[in-house]
Amino acid sequence: MSAPASKVTLEQAAASETLRLAHDPNIVCVGYGLKQVGGQPTMVAALQYHVRSKRASEAEIRALGSTPVAAAVEGYQTDVLPWTMARRTACPSAHRPTGARGDNEEDPLVGGTSTSILGAFMSFPTAYGTLGGICFDASSGASMALSNAHVYGSDTGHDAIQPFTPVSDYVGGAVEWLACGGPLSHLFFWTAPSPLTGILTAAAAGAWVAAAASDAEDPSRWGQRTTTVPAPGVTTTREQIHLEADVPRIPFPGRYWTTATRWDYSRVTNAGATTGSIAQDRPNEHVLVGKRVFTDRAVYAGGDAVRICAQIWTSAGERDPERFVVAHSFPIADPTRAVQRVLHQDYVCARIDSDTDGERSTICLHGFTHQVAGMAQVNFPIIAAPFVFIGEDSSVLLDPGPGNPSGVTALRLPGRPLAFACPPSTHVELKVFHCGTKIHATAISANNSAVDQADAHGEAGEVQTITLSGPEIVRVILDAGDDEGEAYLAEVCIDKRRLDIGPWKGVSTYYTGSFTLPLNEADGKWAVVVVTQSLDQTPTGGDPIQAARQLGGIVDSANVVETGECACEILFDHTFDVRNDVIILK
């Protein structure tokens, strides 16, 4: 860059000119930068005069009440640039010119609000910074967000978000232990991105604290409401709250559970103190009815764009079903290469869902394999990917032949209930047979609720089919009761077909996003994990009691499935294949 010798720096010259021309009606400001010729920057440093209207002749300039800009000032070339408003945004009195660094969604988007980024720099938005403002690309006019490097990092191609999602606000003394003992991170034995296990640890803490302290009613407001109001003239000097809460078993977000809590409230005044206490079980209110995740294709090649669709089912009783939805996609063989995308509401996935519903494959287990050749006895857990069978007693296998009409090797149901974990499904079909006993089946959703149940009542010695349906079924419990007769499970089939969510009192909303696979992406299987969080849509000036209950940033998706006593796995919402040896018709 060339620059003339001068005792005055560009910055000093620009500041001096700004003061000199402060009352010029046409000159907005004076700065410095690269001189532009024909709209393109050159490598010449110049003083830049930003004007409301750029005129060609001196007479036209003076007619505006302005003064022509000299060709050089303090030895520096000058450059006159027209000042334009790239995009006019209404800012009525109800909207502040700058936002607050909270978890409210700002519309219109203004500087001063909280913001964060998804990607390698911050694998999940539990940290955040400030949005400096909105600017526009000079060549394309595209809107751009401005923030510091310590907020957005130096990498490109990641999604920036507003507001941030304040999971970390609730982690104070982070919940690192379950009731059965052991750090949460040690419970995961399925390969998953290490940041994702950290997300769920933090999210578990957020859900636990929200349930214990602020969902139904804030402890301070409860104390103010239930204790004696001070007499006129009495001054409150401080309020104190002591809170105790048990950590529930498997306290992960998106699941129904309760925590035993005790609140002790004290109001200290210049006339003494009043106190109040309450002990009760408080539920986790941040729970989805379920979710269903799919992609526009089952198989992709390197360089293809992968469209992710998430059908989020929220409770029909909610005033606002909107969620902040993030999809974490990664190759199972190398989960460190996770790609995060914010998903947005879009009806395109409803069309894709309808067009591809009949093409969805069914995953089946036809019979069981002997753990030791020639030995009928088996011990649990039995892993028959993608199913995991969990039982408290040992059992035996029965090969096809007399007493087994199924044609495959069947598993005898043990005396105590048998459970199996499966990928998220909407329909489950079981092939069973028995010798004079009833078989009862219960489908458990990812949110830990029983969504369907059915019995096998057919004749002894005949293969019968038990069908179950419901949102996000991840576990099935089979109970043959205490009868003397034997009962067997021969086959399991699951699928993720469309589901009418009405019977479960849900509302459906589709979200979508996409990313492009690297051109050299190797063959393999990818997994998708979708995390949803609540949004704080409370209007400014609204009811403070309701505002206190509307917590933004709490994870309400279920992303963990139990696979044994105090053992959990990351719940893969969807998987797809990358194959470069097939021709894919797009």
Side-chain angles (χ1 to χ4, degrees), residues 232-247:
V234 175
T235 303
T236 298
T237 58
R238 67 181 184 274
E239 294 175 290
Q240 294 178 324
I241 297 169
H242 177 77
L243 185 149
E244 295 179 2
D246 293 340
V247 180

Side-chain angles (χ1 to χ4, degrees), residues 67-409:
T67 303
V69 175
V73 173
E74 295 289 352
Y76 297 103
Q77 293 188 37
T78 61
D79 196 8
V80 178
L81 302 174
W83 180 81
T84 60
M85 183 176 289
R87 194 167 304 167
R88 186 178 298 276
T89 301
C91 190
S93 58
H95 292 85
R96 300 181 305 276
T98 59
R101 284 182 21 136
D103 59 341
N104 283 320
E105 183 177 345
E106 296 289 346
D107 185 13
L109 193 60
V110 292
T113 63
S114 63
T115 184
S116 186
I117 193 169
L118 303 177
F121 183 66
M122 289 182 183
S123 61
F124 196 73
T126 55
Y128 69 100
T130 304
L131 176 66
I134 301 300
C135 53
F136 301 91
D137 189 297
S139 59
S140 67
S143 57
M144 306 176 71
L146 179 67
S147 190
N148 291 321
H150 70 264
V151 178
Y152 286 162
S154 57
D155 295 334
T156 60
H158 299 305
D159 285 344
I161 62 172
Q162 193 286 319
F164 83 109
T165 47
V167 171
S168 60
D169 281 5
Y170 306 101
V171 184
V175 179
E176 292 289 343
W177 298 82
L178 290 179
C180 57
L184 293 179
S185 58
H186 293 175
L187 293 176
F188 302 106
F189 58 86
W190 197 315
T191 301
S194 55
L196 196 55
T197 59
I199 290 168
L200 296 179
T201 299
W208 173 65
V209 174
S214 53
D215 266 350
E217 185 177 20
D218 185 272
S220 61
R221 293 191 180 275
W222 170 85
Q224 294 165 2
R225 179 176 59 83
T226 59
T227 58
T228 303
V229 177
V234 175
T235 303
T236 298
T237 58
R238 67 181 184 274
E239 294 175 290
Q240 294 178 324
I241 297 169
H242 177 77
L243 185 149
E244 295 179 2
D246 293 340
V247 180
R249 180 182 179 276
I250 317 293
F252 288 106
R255 294 166 55 91
Y256 286 109
W257 45 258
T258 60
T259 177
T261 66
R262 178 183 174 86
W263 294 353
D264 295 309
Y265 170 85
S266 175
R267 181 202 294 264
V268 181
T269 72
N270 58 358
T274 58
T275 61
S277 298
I278 186 173
Q280 67 181 92
D281 291 339
R282 299 183 182 275
N284 174 30
E285 297 181 357
H286 302 276
V287 179
L288 293 178
V289 174
K291 62 184 183 300
R292 181 167 156 267
V293 181
F294 56 94
T295 50
D296 58 342
R297 300 207 307 269
V299 181
Y300 299 87
D304 285 349
V306 178
R307 177 176 290 278
I308 302 168
C309 292
Q311 185 181 22
I312 306 301
W313 293 312
T314 53
S315 174
E318 291 189 29
R319 290 181 299 175
D320 188 358
E322 185 179 0
R323 292 295 188 274
F324 177 76
V325 183
V326 179
H328 303 255
S329 306
F330 51 91
I332 296 177
D334 184 10
T336 61
R337 293 174 49 217
V339 177
Q340 291 86 16
R341 285 293 181 269
V342 177
L343 306 188
H344 305 277
Q345 293 188 36
D346 198 313
Y347 291 108
V348 67
C349 283
R351 177 180 55 78
I352 294 173
D353 198 7
S354 177
D355 293 344
T356 60
D357 196 51
E359 304 171 5
R360 291 195 170 91
S361 59
T362 300
I363 301 173
C364 291
L365 172 66
H366 299 290
F368 293 80
T369 302
H370 289 269
Q371 291 177 335
V372 179
M375 181 177 294
Q377 185 169 351
V378 291
N379 294 309
F380 296 102
I382 297 174
I383 299 176
F387 304 98
V388 179
F389 293 83
I390 312 139
E392 299 180 61
D393 305 313
S394 61
S395 187
V396 296
L397 300 180
L398 181 63
D399 291 325
N404 180 356
S406 67
V408 298
T409 299

Side-chain angles (χ1 to χ4, degrees), residues 17 46 136 161 202 213 324 427 466 542 577:
E17 285 292 272
F136 301 91
I161 62 172
F324 177 76
H427 298 83
I466 300 177
D577 292 306

